[in-house]
Amino acid sequence: MSLAAARDPFHSPHRLTNRLHTVLLLGGMIGLLAACGWIVAGPEGGLWALALGGISLAFAPRMSPQMVLGLYGAVPVHPWDLPNVVRVLNELAERAGLPAPPQLYWIPSPTLNAFAMGRPGDAAIAVTDGMIRSLTLRELSGVLAHEISHVRNGDLWLMGLADTVSRLTRMMSLFGQILLLFNLPLLLTGAVTIPWGLILLLVLAPTIGALLQLALSRTREYDADLGGALLTGDPMALAGALRKLERNGRGLWESLLMPGRRDPNPSLLRTHPPTEERIRRLAALSGQLDDGRIASAAGGHGPGSGRFREVQSRPRHRLTGLWY
């Protein structure tokens, strides 16, 4: 398979599978919202619930990326600050077909983290100081490709939609439970009958919606892993970064004394898929792609620190409520 063909999302059965999962999970969340509306107010209630979801999504205020980045103390990275990193970012954006390269930001934190914000034509990618200093340029290119894939795939909008539907489901469930309490005497006397299955669904709807939202997040992470690997032609670049992120997340003593310890959170409650499974999928792709890695990221040298001084302080909770 040529690299050009590999970059085409429709040449990958993995991507098609992920897209199908996304449609099913998002459809399940929307269907759950409509079901809650139907239980509360009948068929018209279901329609009103869907209409309310569409209106909320269209007119809900969105926090600008600059405001969020300001909460993290993020600083814009200029081409002369980290020339190798900016060069890689621009080439990845061109490969992804974005209208403009995302603006890169540096976050003064020793943690290993990166995230994307914005739309394809006006996106931002933030990378912590710890990430820049801990990863090689090759590994960092895999992380940047992963974040660019989120931007290209519209995952930021999609997860915003899922969050809106989840919030509306919780609101509808709470409203329905309040109505049940007011009508409890009628239910006990038999004047009004409501199947217990519907009552149980109304009570459990917020939990079911949250689980569907978490599952959707994991699906989008798999899709971004795949998209990033197709952009770089080097799946093991991201795999290497994930290994370092996993070790850094456990901490030194846990890595030495309990190297095989797994994430104690149940798989249903994780926003990200298990690291081992992500690495396994990336390794399975390594033999299927031509090595079209970016020339400047092919070596093992670090990306450099530019004008940024190393952050020595420990991560802590900030007045904004964020931890970095």
Side-chain angles (χ1 to χ4, degrees):
M1 179 190 300
S2 67
L3 184 58
R7 292 197 197 109
D8 187 342
F10 295 102
H11 280 76
S12 173
H14 298 283
R15 184 179 293 274
L16 291 177
T17 301
N18 287 345
R19 287 179 181 269
L20 177 60
H21 289 169
T22 297
V23 171
L24 292 176
L25 291 170
L26 189 59
M29 294 184 66
I30 295 175
L32 185 65
L33 173 62
C36 289
W38 182 80
I39 294 172
V40 171
E44 291 185 357
L47 294 177
W48 276 109
L50 294 178
L52 181 61
I55 294 172
S56 299
L57 182 66
F59 295 99
R62 292 174 174 83
M63 186 176 292
S64 68
Q66 285 71 25
M67 184 179 297
V68 175
L69 293 166
L71 296 176
Y72 281 95
V75 177
V77 176
H78 302 291
W80 54 86
D81 294 326
L82 297 171
N84 291 336
V85 179
V86 174
R87 188 183 310 117
V88 167
L89 180 65
N90 291 342
E91 184 170 343
L92 288 171
E94 183 179 355
R95 290 187 178 193
L98 297 184
Q103 171 62 53
L104 185 65
Y105 284 82
W106 172 83
I107 296 178
S109 172
T111 61
L112 271 63
N113 193 20
F115 59 87
M117 300 191 68
R119 303 181 304 274
D122 183 23
I125 294 179
V127 183
T128 61
D129 183 76
M131 180 79 83
I132 291 176
R133 297 181 188 277
S134 299
L135 302 186
T136 65
L137 187 56
R138 178 191 177 193
E139 292 166 342
L140 187 58
S141 70
V143 173
L144 294 176
H146 173 93
E147 298 302 333
I148 285 178
S149 292
H150 275 310
V151 174
R152 180 184 63 179
N153 295 340
D155 290 342
L156 310 178
W157 175 86
L158 182 66
M159 294 311 299
L161 171 61
D163 184 65
T164 299
V165 172
S166 181
R167 291 174 185 272
L168 288 174
T169 300
R170 289 196 297 270
M171 182 182 69
M172 193 69 66
S173 173
L174 178 61
F175 180 68
Q177 293 177 56
I178 293 175
L179 287 180
L180 286 175
L181 288 177
F182 278 110
N183 289 275
L184 188 60
L186 297 177
L187 291 172
L188 294 177
T189 58
V192 176
T193 58
I194 300 177
W196 285 105
L198 296 182
I199 296 177
L200 185 63
L201 176 61
L202 189 65
V203 172
L204 295 179
T207 301
I208 297 173
L211 292 177
L212 289 174
Q213 186 177 1
L214 292 176
L216 179 62
S217 176
R218 292 193 298 271
T219 297
R220 302 317 302 164
E221 287 299 320
Y222 280 134
D223 205 23
D225 284 351
L226 175 61
L230 297 177
L231 284 177
T232 61
D234 183 17
M236 299 314 295
L238 179 58
L242 289 174
R243 289 193 185 95
K244 288 185 178 180
L245 289 170
E246 181 76 3
R247 289 197 300 268
N248 179 269
R250 286 202 303 262
L252 176 61
W253 289 110
E254 185 177 347
S255 299
L256 292 176
L257 300 179
M258 296 176 291
R261 182 181 178 184
R262 297 183 178 182
D263 189 341
N265 294 324
S267 59
L268 284 176
L269 302 181
R270 296 177 191 156
T271 57
H272 283 61
T275 302
E276 297 81 2
E277 176 62 17
R278 295 175 70 183
I279 293 176
R280 186 193 67 78
R281 293 191 179 200
L282 289 167
L285 287 172
S286 61
Q288 302 178 24
L289 302 180
D290 297 338
D291 192 345
R293 72 179 67 171
I294 299 173
S296 60
H301 301 291
S305 57
R307 65 182 171 95
F308 303 109
R309 295 182 178 180
E310 183 175 2
V311 177
Q312 301 288 349
S313 60
R314 286 172 165 252
R316 61 180 176 84
H317 286 280
R318 312 284 171 155
L319 295 177
T320 58
L322 301 175
W323 186 91
Y324 64 89

